[in-house]
Amino acid sequence: MLRPLNFGAGSTPGQEPDEGGAIFTNVYVEAAAGTAKSQTVIRCVEGRRLWSEVSQGGPCRALLVHREALYAVIGRNVLRFDRDGTATTLGGFSADGHATMALNRAGQIAIVAPGDYKLIVDDVLVDVADPDLPPPVDVAFLDGYFIFTLQDGRLFSSAIDDGTDINALDFTTAEGSPDRNVRGIVRGREFVALGERSIEFYANDGGEGFPLVPIPGAFKSVGCLAAASAVVVDTAPGTPLVFVSHARQVVGMTGYSPERISTHDVERDLRAEAQPQDIRATTYIRDGHPFYVITGSDWTWVFDFSTGQWHNRRSERRAYWRGSQVVDFGGQLICGDTDNGSLYVLDDALHDDAGDNLIWCVRAPAVHMYPNRMRVNSIRVDVLPGRGDNSQSPHNDAPELLLRISKDGAHTWSEERRVPIGRQGAFGTEVVERRWGVTREDGMIVEVSASAAVASGIVANGAVELNKLLP
């Protein structure tokens, strides 16, 4: 009996291994063309290559593009990068934690780390020691104004097109709830104040003094757990604002009502996060896939707005992905790093992670004939073209697919079988491995993985040849 091997569409591991859910690590699903032999293809995520090596330590905290330059907050340093990756250090910060950058129409770049406000003017970093502005937690730009969010619930504005001019009277206080502010962010022509237990939306009324007024009826009793989790995904339909709510769910808002987009699996990691205030997110688009990437202390989840599915990412020797902030600069996706100060290019033609192995893995949902046992005669997997690169590395010159199964709900595994998938000049390969033995009534779980720099994924076709046995 030949049965399809269903790989699923994303990571749904379940609470216990015995549940037999699918796991997608460093791969995602893409709908195939209508005439393709499978409705979906499972693709490996992009690799990273070094773009600019930075000696300053610390993670990448913020990136902003202005004209021909990229500006970054890396560790406690502020840097400017030319298009060729040449870096110039402009100065530093004394504050750690969440950092934000905003650009006004005069070309001034405001930078706020908690309690610390600086301004880049003509590539000179200056302190803005204005006693009229209490210590802010972040900054955004709307309609000519820098808008500063304060933890105590107030919002301040700069003068129009001038980040050095702040009037002590140009502020407002959150009206819908007395909770503390976590983040202020701009979505389209609206300013959104995210509090610990509430959200308020503001629009410019063109009046004197503070320029923004609350939008009637838009207040929501949903809070933000982590400031750096809030991102506007401007490449997705409706330009959703996405963040981790105080209920430890990922929610998206295209209007004024938050909608849960996280799954129970994602929420289990959010609930277990020991340092929720450090959860961070970024967004980018690749080949029509708008990704929202969220990272905790030992996990990374990615939501694909094109499919509505989640997958996992991780770097070698890490439980999370080292990628940090991502921006489009000069037609390249520049990516920061959580572990060092260097910047990288995301490159889908490169299947290694800045010199480390980029290990992708697909664990299919359990195959079973419950309550019967079964004999597994063969497993077939349709591999995307894997071609050796004629390198000196046997690993990449003659790439292999790794295949293993579990007969007890992913508690223990068979030995890995290494199957060649094509030297240079070879194309698509169907992997057929035989004689897997007899399972119990719970069936088996199949796992496929590869780490060679030339292995790019699999067609979402597979098959298992089985014989049903009596219980």
Side-chain angles (χ1 to χ4, degrees):
M1 177 188 304
L2 199 63
R3 290 182 54 177
L5 177 60
N6 174 27
F7 287 103
S11 289
T12 56
Q15 188 167 359
E16 300 293 339
D18 305 73
E19 295 175 39
I23 298 178
F24 281 44
T25 302
N26 293 334
V27 289
Y28 61 92
V29 164
E30 179 175 286
T35 57
K37 57 185 176 181
S38 173
Q39 293 183 343
T40 54
V41 173
I42 300 173
R43 299 197 184 282
C44 181
V45 301
E46 311 91 350
R48 293 190 304 155
R49 60 178 172 82
L50 184 66
W51 180 69
S52 182
E53 188 170 8
V54 179
S55 59
Q56 286 92 339
C60 177
R61 299 163 63 189
L63 295 174
L64 183 143
V65 174
H66 176 42
R67 294 177 182 167
E68 297 299 311
L70 171 64
Y71 297 85
V73 179
I74 295 176
R76 290 190 172 186
N77 298 285
V78 179
L79 298 97
R80 180 193 187 276
F81 295 86
D82 295 328
R83 283 186 178 269
D84 63 358
T86 301
T88 303
T89 300
L90 303 182
F93 267 84
S94 60
D96 296 314
H98 177 55
T100 49
M101 307 175 75
L103 172 70
N104 70 9
R105 298 179 302 195
Q108 299 174 338
I109 299 174
I111 310 176
V112 168
D116 200 353
Y117 168 39
K118 297 183 187 293
L119 201 62
I120 299 176
V121 181
D122 296 328
D123 285 339
V124 176
L125 185 68
V126 296
D127 290 310
V128 185
D130 193 326
D132 290 336
L133 177 65
V137 295
D138 68 11
V139 63
F141 172 80
L142 179 65
D143 291 349
Y145 303 92
F146 286 134
I147 308 297
F148 301 93
T149 303
L150 273 62
Q151 191 176 63
D152 64 11
R154 289 182 292 172
L155 305 173
F156 277 74
S157 68
S158 70
I160 194 164
D161 295 330
D162 188 355
T164 66
D165 185 2
I166 298 162
N167 190 315
L169 300 179
D170 289 347
F171 76 92
T172 190
T173 303
E175 299 177 356
S177 174
D179 62 342
R180 298 192 300 176
N181 284 331
V182 174
R183 177 77 193 275
I185 195 167
V186 170
R187 184 186 66 176
R189 295 293 302 279
E190 298 173 344
F191 181 85
V192 187
L194 297 167
E196 292 177 326
R197 290 292 187 273
S198 67
I199 307 174
E200 292 197 44
F201 296 83
Y202 294 82
N204 187 355
D205 71 344
E208 297 293 328
F210 186 78
L212 306 182
V213 294
I215 297 174
F219 173 85
K220 294 296 175 184
S221 296
V222 175
C224 179
L225 182 68
S229 73
V231 173
V232 174
V233 186
D234 56 8
T235 56
T239 314
L241 167 60
V242 186
F243 60 95
V244 178
S245 74
H246 72 278
R248 302 205 180 202
Q249 296 177 329
V250 180
V251 298
M253 302 180 70
T254 55
Y256 300 125
S257 296
E259 296 184 3
R260 171 180 176 259
I261 63 173
S262 54
T263 63
H264 296 302
D265 295 306
V266 176
E267 289 158 10
R268 275 186 276 271
D269 279 341
L270 291 172
R271 185 183 70 232
E273 178 58 52
Q275 298 175 311
Q277 71 280 359
D278 293 336
I279 293 171
R280 59 198 179 276
T282 190
T283 182
Y284 70 95
I285 187 169
R286 169 71 74 185
D287 297 335
H289 294 266
F291 293 126
Y292 170 76
V293 186
I294 184 169
T295 298
S297 57
D298 59 358
W299 49 264
T300 297
W301 284 93
V302 183
F303 184 72
D304 183 349
F305 277 90
S306 70
T307 62
Q309 298 290 334
W310 291 87
H311 65 268
N312 301 102
R313 293 201 190 177
R314 63 186 303 172
S315 296
E316 191 175 22
R317 300 181 298 277
R318 302 288 191 280
Y320 57 88
W321 184 48
R322 287 177 51 179
S324 182
Q325 303 298 311
V326 181
V327 295
D328 189 328
F329 180 49
Q332 299 186 108
L333 290 175
I334 304 299
C335 176
D337 194 279
T338 62
D339 293 9
N340 64 47
S342 297
L343 298 181
Y344 301 83
V345 175
L346 294 181
D347 187 346
D348 58 1
L350 181 70
H351 295 294
D352 69 84
D353 189 16
D356 288 338
N357 290 320
L358 177 55
I359 303 169
W360 62 261
C361 176
V362 182
R363 185 178 297 178
V367 178
H368 62 85
M369 290 184 172
Y370 188 86
N372 297 289
R373 299 177 300 143
M374 59 188 191
R375 176 176 285 109
V376 184
N377 299 313
S378 68
I379 298 173
R380 299 170 180 263
V381 180
D382 197 358
V383 183
L384 284 176
R387 295 182 291 277
D389 60 4
N390 199 27
S391 72
Q392 297 300 310
S393 165
H395 177 67
N396 292 329
D397 180 51
E400 296 175 320
L401 194 75
L402 278 60
L403 192 63
R404 65 176 186 169
I405 71 169
S406 174
K407 300 179 183 179
D408 59 2
H411 290 282
T412 62
W413 293 87
S414 68
E415 290 187 7
E416 288 180 332
R417 299 192 186 182
R418 296 176 174 269
V419 186
I421 54 176
R423 290 181 176 272
Q424 189 176 53
F427 291 92
T429 302
E430 183 185 39
V431 170
V432 182
E433 280 294 292
R434 308 181 190 279
R435 299 186 183 91
W436 292 93
V438 174
T439 76
R440 299 181 299 185
E441 67 275 7
D442 292 330
M444 70 170 178
I445 297 172
V446 178
E447 184 179 277
V448 181
S449 63
S451 62
V454 292
S456 57
I458 58 178
V459 178
N461 280 337
V464 183
E465 186 181 358
L466 307 167
N467 290 125
K468 183 168 66 174
L469 304 176
L470 293 177

